[in-house]
Amino acid sequence: MIEVVSASRCVTCDVCIAVCPTNVFDRGAGGVPVIARQNDCQTCFMCEAHCPADALFVAPLTHPAPPDSPLRDEDHVTDTGLLGSYRKELGWGRGRKSGARTAVGPELGRARITPAPAQGE
Amino acid sequence: MTTTALDLTADVVIVGGGPAGTWAALTAAAAGADVLLLDKGYCGTSGPTASGGTGVWYVQPGPAAREKAMASREALGGHLQDRRWMARVLDQTYENMNRLEAEARYPFPVVDGVAHKRGLQGPEYMRRMRSWIKRAGVRVLDHSPVTELLVDPAGTVAGVRGHRRQHDTGYRVRASAAVLATGGCAFLSKALGCDVATGDGALYAAEAGAAMSGMEFSNSYAIAPAFTSVTKTAYYGFATFFHGDGTPLAGAGSQGGRSVIAQELLRTGTVLCQIDHATPEQQALMRSGQPNFFLTFDRLGINPFTDKFPVTLLLEGTVRGTGGIQIVDDDCATTVPGLYAAGDAATRELICGGFTGGGSHNSAWAMSSGTWAGGGAARFAAALGSSAVKRRLTGAGGVAVRPTGSRPFDGDPWAEAQDVLRRQVHPYDKNYLRHGDRLRPALSELDELWQRLRAGASADPAGTPRLRQAAAMVAHARWMYTSALARTESRGMARRQEFPGLDPAQHRRLTVGGLDELWVRPESLLAPRPELAVAS
């Protein structure tokens, strides 16, 4: 779920308010969006991908992160390079090459079935 | 007469802005129609395609390659497909993917000097579709859930009504034809991008008189790391699964062994996974192929190739099932004049039968059926001409907009619907591992809830879209279980524990419909498979 809105990075462009498919944000004081309906967040990472300022961070959990979670800590997600990492991988942003250009997955053969443990193992 | 804040007209109105809706919009606009596209979220990010990535059933023309592509999934789908439709979809998909490159400048990867068109990265694809339809002159209204269809005195679909949630105003669209491209129904499971897929279009179509087909093929569950949203079941083909104590879970697999995972989750609540059979080269390709697959792992500090991590199964219902609104001609028309269906909102049995192994067929279906529905709707609108705007409009909506009872719903209808769906539809022992002894009581509880919703549920304009979604999900589940009970065999993904075999006498599709009283009708038997005819 969306956990971090960086007021210092936000450029108050309202893009996240527009693009969130489940309408999680409201415009807050000074134009910085507030997470108004976190429970409606479907953890799709779309707001983060579309944010031109890398001001949003979506924790990969389908429930709110616990209060002491580092995934709620702007400094942690900045220092670890997680903030803005999805947009970077998509190749979105000035001077970047679209990630779609290299998006070739592995050949998918027949799915592996977990074998029974060998005798005596 | 209700007054609405925003009164619009269009030749063609498209409900839903995912791949099917945007291709429909593009085609209708190219045919000269004035097109309005409505998305309950945001066209460009809404739905499972935008937030994911998808394979595409893109096959070079040529009889041998096409024959192989069509034959490959027929047995899995229970031989309910239609070869003519498969061939049409292959042709249309080939054309559309080439247009994506030439006209939308989609940046396909180049492998050995050739553009690789067997996949699309969701965010890039849908961002480009949005700008493409806008260039084509399509008007787009985001955050504007439709709440009901409008019909003329003859029952022909003549528009829609809805609510603009970021403006808190109602709207009404008078239109000559409508395309439902609202997606399937995943029951708010939080599977990636699926929470907007609540089966709204199926409810609206049924209220106007349309039927569903293949609703028993609705028990798709996807693998995701526990407590997360990223479903990418295909990559788990490289995985080994384990009991909670770390010993191998024999028989478990992403394909052909998913029910073993479900049974273990039911029994102990824990299944661990390690993607330990991907070579370093395959691991690197997985990352470049689907960067979103790694969002979860990178952010939780998990190395999926060397760590054992817990997994869950998230309900994808008819998003990766194949049931949906029945279509009756090559334009993807429904039985209701003026109403067309495309993408996951429509049945995909014609090309998939009772099973889709992943996004590839669904994405091909979305772009093909969208193209046809948009074209068909534009032709319908042109044939109606200017008399269309003079029709008297009536709302077709029932549940949650026009209660039939004299007393309001006793309780919180949204919360109750969530509770019943959580107990009767999500659980693996109800919807996935199906048995009549468990389906029948589940259906009874859903029926009872429906009757109460129908009699008394209502909300203010801002709350109406959400309540309609709840009702749509309850209706969806009732069609699913009614069809599942009627198919007393195991075919495609619709397996019944007490009927494990395939019954040649049930080699036909099932149509289901109704709202207060449901009905299910077997269609005529399909031609026997040639190899079976020979064997007998």
Side-chain angles (χ1 to χ4, degrees), chain A residues 1 17-23 25 38-46 48-50 57-63 71 82 84-86 89-90 92 98-117 121, chain B residues 41-42 45-46 50-51 106-109 111 118 121 123-124 127 143 165-166 190 192-196 227-230 234-235 237-241 248-256 277 285-289 291-292 295-296 299-300:
Chain A
M1 286 180 162
I17 299 170
V19 303
C20 171
T22 56
N23 199 31
F25 301 101
Q38 192 188 27
N39 280 334
D40 289 339
C41 175
Q42 59 171 352
T43 320
C44 69
F45 306 95
M46 284 289 97
E48 194 186 305
H50 282 264
F57 180 76
V58 178
L61 304 168
T62 49
H63 54 78
L71 298 174
L82 291 174
S85 58
Y86 186 33
E89 296 225 39
L90 290 172
W92 285 6
S98 171
R101 276 266 178 243
T102 51
V104 182
E107 283 295 324
L108 300 170
R110 185 176 286 272
R112 171 181 160 77
I113 300 292
T114 300
E121 206 178 278
Chain B
Y42 179 86
T45 62
S46 268
S51 48
Y106 181 91
F108 284 106
V111 180
R118 284 189 291 135
Q121 190 203 65
E124 189 73 51
R127 183 168 77 158
H143 297 287
R165 66 182 176 190
Q166 291 191 338
K190 302 246 186 230
L192 191 64
C194 285
D195 274 12
V196 292
F227 311 113
T228 76
S229 61
V230 179
Y235 283 179
F238 297 100
T240 304
F241 296 90
L249 178 59
S254 62
Q255 200 107 77
H277 277 64
L285 286 169
M286 287 162 81
R287 191 175 275 276
S288 57
N292 61 6
L295 288 173
T296 298
R299 292 172 186 209
L300 294 178

Side-chain angles (χ1 to χ4, degrees), chain B residues 498-517:
Chain B
E498 73 274 45
F499 301 108
L502 201 66
D503 174 8
Q506 297 187 50
H507 181 215
R508 33 113 173 104
R509 304 190 189 108
L510 293 175
T511 307
V512 66
L515 288 161
D516 298 336
E517 297 294 331

Side-chain angles (χ1 to χ4, degrees), chain B residues 451-471:
Chain B
Q451 302 301 346
R452 289 178 54 223
L453 289 170
R454 186 70 190 89
S458 69
D460 60 18
T464 297
R466 200 167 77 136
L467 202 51
R468 291 283 278 167
Q469 289 173 30

